[in-house]
Amino acid sequence: MGRHAAGVVQRELCSAQRASCNPHPAAGTVQHRCMTHRPRPRARARRRRPPRARARRCSAGGGGRGGGGGGGRSRRSPGAMDSTGKEREAVQLMAEAEKRVKGSHSFLRGLFGGNTRVEEACEMYTRAANMFKIAKNWSAAGNAFCQAAKLHMQLQSKHDSATSFVDAGNAYKKADPQEAINCLNAAIDIYTDMGRFTIAAKHHITIAEIYEAELVDIEKAIAHYEQAADYYKGEESNSSANKCLLKVAAYAAQLEQYQKAIEIYEQVGTNTMDNPLLKYSAKEYFFKAALCHFIVDELNAKLALEKYEEMFPAFTDSRECKLLKKLLEAHEEQNCEAYTEAVKEFDSISRLDQWLTTMLLRIKKSIQGEGDGDLK
């Protein structure tokens, strides 16, 4: 039978079946359903879930679990609770680390896994130190880092030991400056032993800054800046060395160590005047050297000024050089008013910093008939 004939027969069968299907059957009778024309099932209605009720937060700090308002217990801030918990956990870690260290000293532990227990103790001390930092207990953090540093050295891990000493120093800076210096010096000893002079110089600068700001010991600050400059020079970091030397020169002049300051300013000025990027700073260094000469002796200042102009011709047209010539003339004439006027004119364009103000006042005091010691 062909396809067309088969299609005709199929349609006739479907028509007969559709006719035999009673669309409205009587009650109790079974409805015949044609397999081909079975009615589609109704789409089941989707049940919508009721929205979840969002818990309201009381911005005023009142209604806790019990609902309403003001009669509940006062709550500590999350930050305070976190700090207290971290500090408590840190204390537990310190105690556990001490047990590990003591256990590693026993004979059997030393034979079997002694170093492993020391390594675990190192990790615990470091974790405890970081938790103390979160709690802002800086002394305890510094002590924990120190304990870790000593154990790292016991394990022959010099780099880790130095790093832990530096971390200890940074923590102690906020609580005990002298102990911070001790820790940084311990780190410097390790770095120099390893030949890491650039890092050692960086930590010498940190110590110098602590002596400047916290302990106010300028002599010791100078010593550490000089040591840092020596290390930088050895590593051919001349720019970093010059920065340290300029700090030394500034403090030396304040302490009336003028010859030392002059030598540094002339050295740095000579090094920078041939550098296309730095040569414009040379005029400042020659200016400061000339001021130091001026305080010592007027004739020395004149000779120095001539030398600087010859060495660095661009210095002649600078405002600093013109000011020096006016000051020398006023000093020679013992004219306090002319001296003050020259300084005021310079200050109106380039503000004088504290160092320059101090040096210029010292020069002014050497003028006869100088009044109240003011520059303006």
Side-chain angles (χ1 to χ4, degrees):
M1 185 183 294
R3 287 186 179 179
H4 179 71
V8 172
V9 172
Q10 180 67 27
R11 281 196 296 273
E12 290 178 355
L13 286 173
C14 286
S15 299
Q17 288 177 351
R18 191 182 296 114
S20 65
C21 291
N22 185 4
H24 302 288
T29 63
V30 178
Q31 180 182 2
H32 170 73
R33 293 181 183 269
C34 149
M35 296 299 294
T36 309
H37 295 85
R38 179 179 296 176
R40 292 181 180 178
R42 281 187 181 180
R44 184 179 295 177
R46 293 180 62 183
R47 295 174 61 188
R48 298 183 64 183
R49 295 181 180 179
R52 290 183 179 180
R54 293 184 179 179
R56 292 185 178 180
R57 293 182 180 178
C58 177
S59 59
R65 260 184 208 177
R73 292 184 301 174
S74 61
R75 292 186 176 184
R76 298 174 65 182
S77 65
M81 292 176 67
D82 184 60
S83 297
T84 304
K86 291 293 183 183
E87 190 164 5
R88 191 181 302 115
E89 190 175 349
V91 171
Q92 293 173 355
L93 278 170
M94 292 285 286
E96 184 63 29
E98 288 174 13
K99 290 180 183 177
R100 298 290 175 98
V101 173
K102 290 178 182 177
S104 69
H105 292 160
S106 66
F107 179 72
L108 290 176
R109 291 291 186 186
L111 292 176
F112 306 104
N115 280 353
T116 302
R117 294 180 73 82
V118 174
E119 290 170 0
E120 291 172 354
C122 277
E123 184 182 350
M124 289 177 179
Y125 278 129
T126 303
R127 286 171 56 201
N130 289 322
M131 290 176 186
F132 280 130
K133 284 173 68 175
I134 293 172
K136 293 183 171 56
N137 189 340
W138 305 112
S139 293
N143 176 52
F145 278 127
C146 275
Q147 298 300 327
K150 292 172 184 176
L151 292 183
H152 280 306
M153 186 58 72
Q154 182 180 326
L155 293 169
Q156 301 298 314
S157 180
K158 290 185 177 181
H159 177 76
D160 290 337
S161 180
T163 302
S164 294
F165 273 127
V166 171
D167 289 337
N170 290 333
Y172 273 127
K173 273 199 299 186
K174 298 175 177 63
D176 189 343
Q178 187 57 57
E179 197 60 39
I181 290 170
N182 294 339
C183 292
L184 291 171
N185 275 324
I188 288 169
D189 290 340
I190 297 171
Y191 282 127
T192 52
D193 187 55
M194 296 169 65
R196 307 283 299 277
F197 293 103
T198 300
I199 298 178
K202 176 185 172 184
H203 296 309
H204 271 297
I205 292 173
T206 303
I207 293 174
E209 290 170 348
I210 294 173
Y211 277 121
E212 284 179 282
E214 301 295 332
L215 301 178
V216 196
D217 191 333
I218 302 304
E219 291 281 1
K220 289 183 178 177
I222 288 174
H224 283 279
Y225 277 125
E226 288 178 324
Q227 188 62 70
D230 287 342
Y231 286 159
Y232 278 131
K233 282 181 181 178
E235 298 297 303
E236 297 296 327
S237 298
N238 293 323
S239 178
S240 298
N242 286 340
K243 288 179 182 177
C244 295
L245 288 173
L246 290 171
K247 295 285 286 187
V248 173
Y251 282 127
Q254 288 182 1
L255 296 174
E256 301 184 1
Q257 299 171 8
Y258 298 115
Q259 191 56 42
K260 183 175 185 177
I262 289 167
E263 291 174 1
I264 293 173
Y265 282 129
E266 289 184 349
Q267 174 191 339
V268 176
T270 304
N271 292 339
T272 56
M273 70 182 187
D274 296 326
N275 189 321
L277 298 176
L278 303 174
K279 65 180 181 179
Y280 295 105
S281 301
K283 63 182 182 180
E284 176 189 347
Y285 307 141
F286 289 135
F287 175 53
K288 290 183 175 181
L291 287 178
C292 292
H293 274 298
F294 204 162
I295 295 172
V296 176
D297 183 74
E298 180 186 346
L299 180 59
N300 287 346
K302 287 183 178 180
L303 295 173
L305 187 58
E306 292 174 3
K307 181 177 76 171
Y308 301 152
E309 287 185 278
E310 184 179 348
M311 289 170 53
F312 186 48
F315 183 58
T316 304
D317 296 328
S318 66
R319 296 183 62 252
E320 289 81 0
C321 182
K322 292 175 181 178
L323 174 62
L324 281 169
K325 290 178 179 179
K326 290 180 181 179
L327 296 180
L328 284 166
E329 184 179 350
H331 190 275
E332 188 175 359
E333 296 174 356
Q334 294 292 292
N335 189 338
C336 186
E337 292 181 2
Y339 183 96
T340 303
E341 189 62 33
V343 173
K344 285 175 66 176
E345 182 183 349
F346 183 87
D347 181 66
S348 65
I349 299 174
S350 303
R351 295 292 297 175
L352 297 172
D353 60 21
Q354 185 61 46
W355 189 92
L356 287 173
T357 302
T358 301
M359 297 300 115
L360 290 168
L361 278 172
R362 289 180 184 179
I363 296 170
K364 186 179 179 183
K365 287 180 180 179
S366 65
I367 298 177
Q368 292 181 1
E370 180 271 322
D372 57 1
D374 193 4
L375 288 173
K376 301 176 183 177

